[in-house]
Amino acid sequence: MEFLELVKGVALEPTDNSLRIDLKDANLRGADLRGVDLRGADLSRADLSDANLKGALLNGADLSRAYLRCADLSDANLSDANLMGTYLSRTDLSRANLSGANLSNANLIGSRVESTQFGDNLGISKDLKHDLKRRGAIFFEESPSLRSGMLACS
């Protein structure tokens, strides 16, 4: 299924001089969404199982309670996305950016996380963090100097 076919009839909501794509509850199972720009989109409760989202821009998107079993999210940008309660079992998250994403109650069992970037995430316990690191994930810890915009020299 092509992206242009999917967005026919999709509700676009004006927000702050831009458009917000509303795909909540959408059935996008097996869709080819490689490299698509869905920054800030509402994909809550959407079925994206087996979808190809390789390299997709999903920064700030709402994917809460979405179903992404066996989806390809490799190289995708999910920074600051809401993944609360999202089913990510057996999902390929290799080299994806999940910094700042809310992962509360997300299911990451069996997901591929080699070189996946995490940092400043809600919902990651110490045990889960240890498991993700063991599976190849990278964690960047926010430092006070980075929050202030100043880089610390050592």
Side-chain angles (χ1 to χ4, degrees):
M1 189 179 311
E2 296 283 329
F3 178 67
L4 293 176
E5 292 175 42
L6 293 171
V7 294
K8 287 181 183 174
V10 168
L12 299 175
E13 303 170 8
T15 57
D16 300 330
N17 298 323
S18 64
L19 293 176
R20 179 180 166 117
I21 297 174
D22 184 352
L23 292 167
K24 67 178 156 236
D25 298 308
N27 181 356
L28 301 171
R29 177 176 283 195
D32 185 355
L33 301 170
R34 283 176 288 185
V36 72
D37 187 345
L38 290 170
R39 288 177 284 186
D42 186 350
L43 291 152
S44 57
R45 297 182 309 273
D47 182 354
L48 289 152
S49 55
D50 298 305
N52 187 345
L53 290 147
K54 182 177 180 136
L57 299 176
L58 293 157
N59 326 39
D62 184 356
L63 289 147
S64 58
R65 295 179 306 281
Y67 189 72
L68 289 131
R69 183 179 182 274
C70 297
D72 184 353
L73 284 159
S74 59
D75 301 303
N77 189 339
L78 292 146
S79 60
D80 300 315
N82 183 2
L83 298 167
M84 191 167 100
T86 301
Y87 191 85
L88 296 160
S89 179
R90 298 181 58 203
T91 298
D92 187 353
L93 293 164
S94 302
R95 300 171 309 282
N97 179 356
L98 275 79
S99 60
N102 182 350
L103 294 162
S104 301
N105 299 313
N107 181 338
L108 292 160
I109 295 172
S111 59
R112 291 187 61 196
V113 293
E114 293 89 11
S115 300
T116 303
Q117 299 173 27
F118 292 89
D120 198 26
N121 300 97
L122 292 176
I124 295 186
S125 67
K126 286 183 181 181
D127 289 340
L128 178 57
K129 183 176 181 178
H130 177 74
D131 178 54
L132 292 169
K133 281 183 173 181
R134 182 186 56 77
R135 291 166 32 204
I138 301 166
F139 278 82
F140 296 101
E141 304 304 327
E142 189 175 351
S143 70
S145 60
L146 290 177
R147 264 186 256 122
S148 68
M150 298 174 57
L151 296 176
C153 296
S154 54

